[in-house]
């Protein structure tokens, strides 16, 4: 049996730095099953200690309210199956903020496990003029105290010595330090005894520390989990014990806080010497600017512009490079294969499919870089603070702002970024509405349609053009729908107790390059492995739908045409052009005859009310893996030449001329606008849906997102077409 | 004691944390309400006897930054309204 040690502590106390100091490079990360809480663990073998150390998410209390805190509580109470039982705790404590940190410490001391206090940020405390009597502190807590400056690796050897002693069993289990009113203590004892009767149903005994949480945290995680398995009988029992525990009118939570802080105040009074006035730190002065009403808002806008610009256009060269690379590899590999199914599968299916995954990497890495830096340096909390009021209008919190903003570039990194949102319900609501932001992939659809169909008229002395205005409206549409959609989700599926926006404002810190790089590497690998394989599969499936049944008759027909042209036309650019034309026609004929084309014909009646014919329908179906595929497919099915995205203006001109089977023009203003509205609101993006699955750990949120957005898109396109047709455009 | 009947009677005239202006201080008398928000405030050290001061408000007037027990907390005004202060502190 591997001995596991848990590394615990409040958020922002430098826990990750301690973890990196202890484990060096020999650690691995993953997720806890069923949740997106990151699991980090590392070996201590290189220090000659036979144990693994698990880095727990930061928590303020064992009273779990978020998935992070639930994992912490579960692991510390040994309630997670397949996890090695935790034999001891290393508690990281911020020396510059001792009193608040001691609250959590007092809870951990009641778990009956050996504890080491890693008193970190000694340098920050010293700068604040705080003097700590380490021996007295160790005596008061009843556990060894090791002073540390983890970010420069100072004190790590002493910490390792204590850890070795703990693993060898030389540190006795910690003892509780807080005295609670007798009625509360008695009620906890009684409840612990009561729960013994459910031992067989539960398959485990409920330790006293857990019973304490069940009793004190009304409607909390510990209670809810017990009641879910044990039912009403258990719920009644808990309620009865809770009444016994009550003393006076104050809630049990208030009693707990009062006693724990009484102890924390006592300990700090005995062991700490504080300066009479808290000195103004550099961090405070920085905050005077960065959270200032005017200056702070300006700085915020500047930082957001920088983030947005870099994921929007900064990633472009890298994305073009990926595309060029895919094209080059495709041509190189394709040249070695005989034409036919195998070549098409390898070039269009496999290489194209890999490309459709890798093309997201630059944006994901860039955004992750910014978020890692903003989070590590402490600005993320300020951004949430500045934006909270605006986001609260649609029931979200300030933490949703940066993920949502990122979605204007691409929803894939944006949805990954929702991990910064602490509240689970807020996070899921944000994920559900995030794809409504107009991402850069939609821009291509917008530009082609606008260039083809919207006349270029200028108003107000040429400042505002009709084309630009249409583009603007397409972007606004997504934002306008997001507010109400988020509001509705927060009041229906994510209804519940209002979530607290009570956060700590950590002091600013220099981000650690090592931890930033590590985060980037993890993000990139996670995306490629977890979402990439699925995105790739969908790309191959859609390729197959568009390729098969690949009729031989069509092939022969065009071979004949080719032979004729070769025979009758003199060699030269004229003939090359004619041959190219035949290629386009053949590709179009195959696509029209493919399963995809047949599917398009089948669903045509559904799309007819918005003025679309089966060819547009086919292109829409083909664009399920990614929106930008719509334009390329449309070009192929209409026999139009379309080399790459930069050729969109030529394409736009040709689209205007395309006719329907009844001789009418296929594209008019209402049809163009309905396509724009459809793409503004739909979720035609397999990558987004797979990332939602990855981030929520459940398929149903992907399905819900796709269904509600497609419904909105359909209705929106329908209303647009019918409305503008009525207006006589 | 915290929350005794006479306290409750006076509660109407009491100041709460959201009514303080920037730079003003107070001492917490009690945190009203129940559930997650009350518990989070208590855990973060906003409980009876703690000294609190308002550091700043966000550009749109809400949320606010409060200093308590040596650390800075952000909270919405609606949350600060749950924190009753001792009179005349």
């Amino acid at each position: 049996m591997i001995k596991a040690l848990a590394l615990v502590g409040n958020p922002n106390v430098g826990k990750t730095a301690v973890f990196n100091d202890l484990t060096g490079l020999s650690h691995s990360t993953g997720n806890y099953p069923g949740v997106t809480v990151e699991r980090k663990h590392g070996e201590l073998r290189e220090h000659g200690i036979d144990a693994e150390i698990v880095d727990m998410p930061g928590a303020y209390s064992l009273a779990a309210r978020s998935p992070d805190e639930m994992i912490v509580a579960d692991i510390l109470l040994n309630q997670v199956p397949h996890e090695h039982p935790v034999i001891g705790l290393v508690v990281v404590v911020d020396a510059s903020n001792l009193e608040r940190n001691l609250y959590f410490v007092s809870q951990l001391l009641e778990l009956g496990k050996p504890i080491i206090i890693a008193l970190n940020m000694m340098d920050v405390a010293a700068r604040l003029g705080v003097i700590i009597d380490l021996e007295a502190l160790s005596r008061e807590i009843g556990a060894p105290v090791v002073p540390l400056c983890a970010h420069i690796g100072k004190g790590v050897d002493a910490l390792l010595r204590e850890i070795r002693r703990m693993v060898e069993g030389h540190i006795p289990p910690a003892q509780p330090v807080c005295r609670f009113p007798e009625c509360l203590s008695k009620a906890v004892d009684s409840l612990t005894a009561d729960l013994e009767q459910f031992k067989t149903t539960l398959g485990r005994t409920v330790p006293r520390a857990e019973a304490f949480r069940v009793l004190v945290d009304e409607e909390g995680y510990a209670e809810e989990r017990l009641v879910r398995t044990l039912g009403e009988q258990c719920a009644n029992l808990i309620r009865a014990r809770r009444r016994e525990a009550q003393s006076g009118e104050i809630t049990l939570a208030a009693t707990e806080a009062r006693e724990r802080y009484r102890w924390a105040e006592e300990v700090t009074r005995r062991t700490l010497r504080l300066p009479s006035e808290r000195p103004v730190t550099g961090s405070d002065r920085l905050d005077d600017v960065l959270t200032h009403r005017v200056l702070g808002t300006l700085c915020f806008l500047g930082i957001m512009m920088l983030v947005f610009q870099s994921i929007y256009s900064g990633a472009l060269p890298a994305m073009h490079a990926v595309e060029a690379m895919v094209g080059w590899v495709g041509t190189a590999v394709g040249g070695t294969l005989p034409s036919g199914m195998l070549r098409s599968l390898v070039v269009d299916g496999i290489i194209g499919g890999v490309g459709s995954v890798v093309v997201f990497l630059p944006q994901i890495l860039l955004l992750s870089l910014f978020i890692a830096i903003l989070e590590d340096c402490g600005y993320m909390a300020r951004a949430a603070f500045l934006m909270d009021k605006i986001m609260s209008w649609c029931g979200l919190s300030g933490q949703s702002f940066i993920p949502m903003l990122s979605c204007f570039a691409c929803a894939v990194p944006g949805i990954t970024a929702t991990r910064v949102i602490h509240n689970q319900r807020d996070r899921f609501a944000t994920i559900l509405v995030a794809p409504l932001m107009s991402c850069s992939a939609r821009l291509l659809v917008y530009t082609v349609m606008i260039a083809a169909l919207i006349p270029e008229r200028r108003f107000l002395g040429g400042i505002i053009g009709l084309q630009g205005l249409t583009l603007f409206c397409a972007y606004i549409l997504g934002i306008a729908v997001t507010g109400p959609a988020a509001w509705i989700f927060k009041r229906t599926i994510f209804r519940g107790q209002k979530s607290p926006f009570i956060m700590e404002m950590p002091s600013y810190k220099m981000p650690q390059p090592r931890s930033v790089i590590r985060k980037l590497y993890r993000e990139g690998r996670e995306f490629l492995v977890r979402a990439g394989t699925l995105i790739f599969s969908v790309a191959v499936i859609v390729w197959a739908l568009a390729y098969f049944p690949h009729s031989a008759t069509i092939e022969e027909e065009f071979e004949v045409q080719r032979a004729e042209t070769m025979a009758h036309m003199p060699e030269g650019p004229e003939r090359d052009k004619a041959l190219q034309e035949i290629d386009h026609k053949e590709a179009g004929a195959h696509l029209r005859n493919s399963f995809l084309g047949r599917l398009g014909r089948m669903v045509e009646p559904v799309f007819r009310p918005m003025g679309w014919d089966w060819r547009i329908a086919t292109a829409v179906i083909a664009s399920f893996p990614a929106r930008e595929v719509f334009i390329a497919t449309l070009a192929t099915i209409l026999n139009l030449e379309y080399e790459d995205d930069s050729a969109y203006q030529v394409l736009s001109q040709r689209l205007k001329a395309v006719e329907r089977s009844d001789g009418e023009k296929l594209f008019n203003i209402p049809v163009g606008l309905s396509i724009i509205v459809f793409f503004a609101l739909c979720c035609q993006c397999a990558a987004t849906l797979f990332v939602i699955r990855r981030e929520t750990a459940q398929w149903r949120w992907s399905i819900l997102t796709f269904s509600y957005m497609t419904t909105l898109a359909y209705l929106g396109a329908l209303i647009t077409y019918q409305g503008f047709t009525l207006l006589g455009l | 004691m915290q929350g005794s009947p006479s306290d409750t009677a006076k509660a109407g005239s009491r100041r709460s944390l959201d009514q303080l202006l920037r730079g003003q201080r107070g001492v917490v008398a009690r945190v009203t309400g129940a559930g997650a928000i009350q518990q989070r405030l208590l855990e973060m050290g906003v409980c009876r006897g703690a000294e609190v001061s308002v550091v700043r408000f966000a550009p749109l007037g809400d949320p606010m930054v409060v200093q308590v027990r040596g650390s800075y907390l952000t909270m919405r005004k609606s949350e600060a309204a749950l924190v009753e202060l001792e009179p005349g502190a």
Side-chain angles (χ1 to χ4, degrees), chain B residues 31-49:
Chain B
V31 182
T32 57
I37 296 180
Q38 188 215 24
Q39 194 169 20
R40 180 43 52 97
L41 281 168
L42 292 164
E43 287 167 350
M44 300 299 269
V46 186
C47 57
R48 202 174 93 95

Side-chain angles (χ1 to χ4, degrees), chain A residues 146-202:
Chain A
V146 183
L148 277 182
C149 301
H151 62 106
I152 52 168
K154 206 170 141 193
V156 178
D157 290 335
L159 182 59
L160 279 166
R161 268 197 300 280
E162 289 300 334
I163 290 177
R164 190 170 298 123
R165 283 186 56 218
M166 180 152 78
V167 173
E168 286 165 359
H170 297 316
I171 298 180
Q175 297 299 318
V177 285
C178 293
R179 300 182 64 86
F180 294 101
E182 195 161 312
C183 46
L184 174 57
S185 301
K186 268 197 177 152
V188 177
D189 288 334
S190 314
L191 185 66
T192 317
D194 292 340
L195 292 172
E196 269 302 300
Q197 59 176 296
F198 299 109
K199 203 168 145 186
T200 39
T201 332
L202 277 174

Side-chain angles (χ1 to χ4, degrees), chain A residues 444-461:
Chain A
L444 179 69
V445 180
Y446 296 160
T447 357
V448 171
M449 287 297 141
I450 288 173
L453 302 163
I454 306 296
E456 180 52 350
R457 278 198 213 117
R458 298 209 153 258
F459 310 105
L460 293 178

Side-chain angles (χ1 to χ4, degrees), chain A residues 65 69 99 261 288 501, chain B residues 39-40 43 56 69 79:
Chain A
R65 304 269 181 192
E69 292 170 334
E99 193 174 312
Y261 272 110
D288 284 339
F501 185 70
Chain B
Q39 194 169 20
R40 180 43 52 97
E43 287 167 350
R56 61 170 53 87
R69 296 183 197 271
E79 291 157 347

